[in-house]
Amino acid sequence: SFLEDLCRTSVVRPRESKEHKRSMAIDRFLTGKYTAVPCFLGIMAVIFWMTFSGIGAWLSDGMAFLVNQAIALLDHGLQVLHVNAVVHSLIIDGAAQGIGSVLSFLPGIVTLFFFLSILEDTGYMARVAFVMDRPLRKLGLSGRSFVPMLVGFGCSVPAIMATRTLSSERDRRMTILLTPFMSCSAKLPIYTMLVGAFFPRPYRALAMVGLYVFGILCGILYAGILKLTKFRGEPVPFVMELPNYRLPGLKNVAQLLWEKARDFLQKAFTVIFAATIVIWFLQNFDLQLRLTADPQASILARIAGDIAPLFAPLGFADWRISTALISGFMAKESVVATLEVLFGGSIATLLSPLAAASLLVFSLLYTPCIAAVASVRRELGGKWAVGLALWQCLIAWVAAFVTHGIGLLL
């Protein structure tokens, strides 16, 4: 009684702020038991629609037009200068076409991260981790694991490094193995190219959402297998402070967009540039290092031809697709650049829609880039890294095979 009287006379309790009241009212809907997941899916669906069928599609078409005009101007300049035919082919068919095709997807990536950065700066992403704690706990993980996996939608490398914040070694290892199922932004050019070539415009956003959801479902299935086999036990408790909702800061959003665009451009003019040059050389020279006009006699055809039969049950046994998938191990954006160099923009006439769907599924799930594999090696060791790369390829092959089989039955 003495303590209660003392507190009553001496303790001054502050009133609840307007910001906190507003946040609590919004959370009753966005984090409600029955409304949280539908709200999250609805928000992501709107973002994907704006990115791939709305603003992002319009900006990508504009960028593609500018890139084509720049390539045409460069081509005309080289012809005026009477540049050697081999050098002309190297610059136009190799470097310019490869890098240009990748640059045309930059607006879509920037648009996607513009919306995601707004969600993060408002404080909603912290709520998503809170909401996902219960379903993740059924898979053997805590809600804290959702943060690295969410980062994985941007890039697998920082996502793998972000698992260092997890206090449980079991949760950390399991999260690293599940991160590659979250489709990174480097795969966006692959999806955009194939979806744009084989899907009507009204269904492109739906196809994009379907790819991301399918990757998440595969990760959920894999997590269930890991929980029952190698990673038995319970996850650690999850505690997280939820900040009040706030308006996104222009500086924060602009900084995030600049970082993503800068990383993309650095890859385009380093790794992808080198990959397109190598692909052009292998495509235009035979085993005796003589210039050849027959693509089937090139070094590239001989190497990729030995691998192509592995993809025959998936519907795409073309050696050029095998080459693109191999180049994707260096950087996923290289897949588009390689396809552009090898197919010359005619992929829509050489693949069936079913084969394209199978290729999309395989590209979604197969081994992450070499930088991500190196990060896994640094965090878990060489055996885990090699095992992850091989296991992802096997999962991708099986999933693409099932997709192709279902398509044939339908």
Side-chain angles (χ1 to χ4, degrees), residues 1-333:
S1 298
F2 169 75
L3 291 175
E4 288 178 355
D5 291 339
L6 183 63
C7 289
R8 189 181 304 110
T9 56
S10 59
V11 175
V12 178
R13 302 184 183 276
R15 293 182 178 179
E16 187 179 18
S17 65
K18 294 181 179 179
E19 293 79 7
H20 188 258
K21 286 183 178 179
R22 183 177 62 243
S23 297
M24 293 296 290
I26 297 174
D27 278 342
R28 277 193 288 270
F29 182 70
L30 293 183
T31 63
K33 183 177 181 180
Y34 301 106
T35 58
V37 174
C39 284
F40 174 67
L41 295 178
I43 290 171
M44 295 308 296
V46 171
I47 288 176
F48 281 121
W49 181 84
M50 293 292 290
T51 301
F52 302 111
S53 294
I55 298 174
W58 181 76
L59 293 175
S60 294
D61 292 341
M63 177 64 81
F65 174 78
L66 293 177
V67 167
N68 291 333
Q69 292 298 314
I71 293 175
L73 184 63
L74 178 61
D75 186 21
H76 177 71
L78 293 176
Q79 290 177 4
V80 170
L81 296 174
H82 302 289
V83 174
N84 180 275
V86 177
V87 177
H88 182 278
S89 175
L90 171 62
I91 295 174
I92 299 299
D93 300 329
Q97 290 289 350
I99 295 177
S101 63
V102 174
L103 287 179
S104 63
F105 300 114
L106 177 61
I109 293 175
V110 171
T111 303
L112 175 63
F113 278 99
F114 170 75
F115 290 114
L116 292 180
S117 61
I118 288 177
L119 292 183
E120 185 173 352
D121 214 35
T122 57
Y124 178 66
M125 285 304 186
R127 268 78 178 178
V128 175
F130 166 75
V131 168
M132 295 304 295
D133 179 63
R134 180 169 294 178
L136 284 177
R137 196 163 290 277
K138 294 179 181 179
L139 301 175
L141 293 169
S142 71
R144 194 175 296 276
S145 296
F146 184 74
V147 177
M149 288 193 286
L150 194 63
V151 175
F153 285 107
C155 179
S156 297
V157 175
I160 292 168
M161 296 176 66
T163 59
R164 297 176 182 178
T165 60
L166 303 180
S167 57
S168 168
E169 183 66 19
R170 169 192 172 277
D171 288 6
R172 190 173 77 90
R173 291 177 179 269
M174 195 169 174
T175 304
I176 288 175
L177 295 179
L178 294 177
T179 297
F181 289 96
M182 308 302 115
S183 186
C184 69
S185 61
K187 297 177 183 178
L188 273 176
I190 308 175
Y191 306 156
T192 306
M193 179 184 187
L194 295 176
V195 169
F198 292 95
F199 287 80
R201 184 177 288 270
Y203 300 102
R204 290 175 186 174
L206 182 62
M208 289 288 187
V209 174
L211 281 170
Y212 278 81
V213 172
F214 184 71
I216 294 172
L217 292 177
C218 290
I220 291 173
L221 179 61
Y222 187 44
I225 295 173
L226 291 177
K227 181 184 178 182
L228 297 175
T229 54
K230 197 171 184 63
F231 294 94
R232 297 178 180 272
E234 293 297 324
V236 296
F238 174 59
V239 179
M240 185 175 187
E241 181 181 356
L242 299 181
N244 291 333
Y245 287 101
R246 60 184 182 275
L247 291 174
L250 179 61
K251 183 179 179 181
N252 295 337
V253 173
Q255 182 177 358
L256 181 61
L257 292 182
W258 164 243
E259 290 175 354
K260 294 299 179 183
R262 183 189 61 193
D263 292 344
F264 186 84
L265 292 174
Q266 285 177 346
K267 281 187 177 182
F269 288 100
T270 54
V271 177
I272 298 173
F273 176 77
T276 54
I277 297 300
V278 171
I279 294 298
W280 176 88
F281 176 80
L282 296 177
Q283 183 192 11
N284 288 275
F285 288 84
D286 59 18
L287 293 173
Q288 287 75 37
L289 298 182
R290 295 176 303 192
L291 191 65
T292 176
D294 183 11
Q296 295 291 340
S298 65
I299 302 173
L300 191 60
R302 295 293 299 273
I303 296 174
D306 295 334
I307 305 173
L310 293 175
F311 301 111
L314 311 183
F316 49 90
D318 195 298
W319 62 273
R320 293 167 290 187
I321 295 178
S322 304
T323 304
L325 294 174
I326 293 172
S327 69
F329 183 61
M330 298 300 297
K332 287 296 181 283
E333 299 95 335

Side-chain angles (χ1 to χ4, degrees), residues 368-392:
C369 67
I370 192 170
V373 174
S375 298
V376 175
R377 179 183 177 276
R378 185 168 56 248
E379 298 294 327
L380 301 181
K383 291 183 179 179
W384 285 89
V386 173
L388 173 70
L390 296 176
W391 189 241
Q392 288 286 145

Side-chain angles (χ1 to χ4, degrees), residues 335-401:
V335 173
V336 172
T338 304
L339 289 175
E340 187 69 27
V341 171
L342 297 179
F343 282 99
S346 60
I347 190 172
T349 61
L350 299 173
L351 273 182
S352 67
L354 178 56
S358 181
L359 179 57
L360 278 168
V361 171
F362 189 88
S363 301
L364 166 71
L365 298 174
Y366 89 109
T367 181
C369 67
I370 192 170
V373 174
S375 298
V376 175
R377 179 183 177 276
R378 185 168 56 248
E379 298 294 327
L380 301 181
K383 291 183 179 179
W384 285 89
V386 173
L388 173 70
L390 296 176
W391 189 241
Q392 288 286 145
C393 286
L394 178 61
I395 292 174
W397 193 95
V398 172
F401 178 77

